[in-house]
Amino acid sequence: MKEFKIRCSAIGQIMTNPRTNKAKEAGELSETAKSYCKMWLKSALFDRDYEFSSKYTDKGITVEDSSIEFAAEQLGWGMVFKNEEYKENEYLTGTCDLKLSNKIIDMKNAYDWATFPLFDDVPPNDHNDKQLQGYMELYDKDEAQIVYTLMDTPEHLIEREITSAVYKSGLDEMPAGFEEKIIRNHTYSDVPEKLRIKAFPTIQRDREFIKAVYQRVIECRNYIETLKANL
């Protein structure tokens, strides 16, 4: 069986701490970390990949290329392309979104205007910085940045939103302008471009944090061995 390594996008899950002081003092993994290890082991035992999908991930995948092009134009990156180079070391695996000459970029696409973090001072998900630390380690970069964009929602997802709203309403006939309102809430050609991009402050590589991640990976491997022993 392959050895456990943590995907950069999941570093935040194993780095959560136990809720009780007793568990912390005993050096136990958090329940979140344990759950991740259990799912990883099931995937390895059954030789199956866990695939999570939602309307949020569907949009992110669909608009990925256009969002990179939009961000490059707005932030002056020049011509850039999505990174396809997979990396791994003894403890980490991952493929970052963009690898510029001086830093890693992680692209995030808000699902709609309401979830776009226009006024946030820090990224909405505090696991994102941990993910970037992993990428900086794998690609040997000292800086990284999270960039959010607000792109038009693809037509098939807008249609899904309309269908869902009709179903939830329980009405036989929707009010006039119903579909137009949903379409307007998911398309943004009338919004100034500067309001559709949010580049969070660049973060620096933290080698001490990565040492802690490596140690946690070892602890996860030990926990996985106990799970295997009890099969």
Side-chain angles (χ1 to χ4, degrees):
M1 180 183 295
K2 62 182 180 181
E3 188 172 46
F4 175 80
K5 298 180 181 182
I6 190 66
R7 291 182 293 108
C8 289
S9 59
I11 287 175
Q13 295 186 55
I14 67 166
M15 293 307 290
T16 57
N17 292 315
R19 294 183 178 180
T20 67
N21 289 330
K22 182 179 179 181
K24 292 178 184 177
E25 292 170 359
E28 296 180 13
L29 294 175
S30 69
E31 292 304 314
T32 300
K34 289 178 180 178
S35 294
Y36 185 88
C37 291
K38 290 174 181 176
M39 182 60 74
W40 181 91
L41 181 56
K42 281 200 295 183
S43 175
L45 290 171
F46 294 132
D47 193 22
R48 301 288 189 275
D49 290 328
Y50 175 70
E51 297 182 4
F52 172 78
S53 179
S54 69
K55 64 181 183 181
Y56 308 103
T57 57
D58 286 350
K59 176 175 180 178
I61 292 170
T62 305
V63 306
E64 187 171 42
D65 289 341
S66 59
S67 70
I68 290 174
E69 182 178 346
F70 176 69
E73 179 180 320
Q74 294 298 308
L75 300 176
W77 293 339
M79 184 174 292
V80 296
F81 300 96
K82 176 174 171 55
N83 173 59
E84 302 289 351
E85 182 186 16
Y86 168 82
K87 288 274 195 176
E88 68 176 299
N89 62 18
E90 187 179 349
Y91 304 95
L92 305 172
T93 70
T95 305
C96 69
D97 290 334
L98 291 174
K99 183 179 60 172
L100 304 186
S101 60
N102 62 331
K103 62 183 173 181
I104 296 296
I105 301 293
D106 191 39
M107 296 294 304
K108 304 292 185 185
N109 295 291
Y111 185 69
D112 58 21
W113 67 271
T115 57
F116 183 67
L118 180 61
F119 299 112
D120 291 15
D121 295 322
V122 295
N125 187 339
D126 62 3
H127 286 183
N128 290 339
D129 281 357
K130 297 179 177 66
Q131 178 179 0
L132 289 183
Q133 290 295 336
Y135 287 147
M136 283 187 278
E137 178 73 3
L138 286 177
Y139 291 89
D140 195 24
K141 298 290 184 181
D142 291 325
E143 296 184 345
Q145 186 176 32
I146 294 172
V147 176
Y148 268 80
T149 59
L150 179 61
M151 312 299 292
D152 287 354
T153 301
E155 186 175 341
H156 72 281
L157 290 179
I158 294 178
E159 290 296 328
R160 188 186 300 178
E161 287 290 338
I162 293 172
T163 300
S164 175
V166 170
Y167 175 78
K168 290 177 180 178
S169 74
L171 299 176
D172 295 328
E173 185 175 342
M174 302 304 292
F178 161 75
E179 290 191 11
E180 289 78 6
K181 182 178 180 180
I182 291 180
I183 292 171
R184 177 173 171 75
N185 278 334
H186 284 274
T187 52
Y188 312 103
S189 60
D190 62 319
V191 178
E193 291 180 338
K194 67 178 182 179
L195 297 180
R196 294 170 47 211
I197 187 164
K198 176 75 174 189
F200 285 95
T202 298
I203 67 170
Q204 303 298 313
R205 190 173 183 176
D206 185 344
R207 298 179 188 275
E208 290 303 311
F209 175 75
I210 288 298
K211 288 180 181 178
V213 172
Y214 287 172
Q215 179 57 39
R216 186 61 55 84
V217 169
I218 293 172
E219 293 166 2
C220 286
R221 288 172 179 171
N222 293 336
Y223 177 68
I224 288 169
E225 288 303 315
T226 65
L227 294 174
K228 290 164 61 178
N230 290 322
L231 290 175

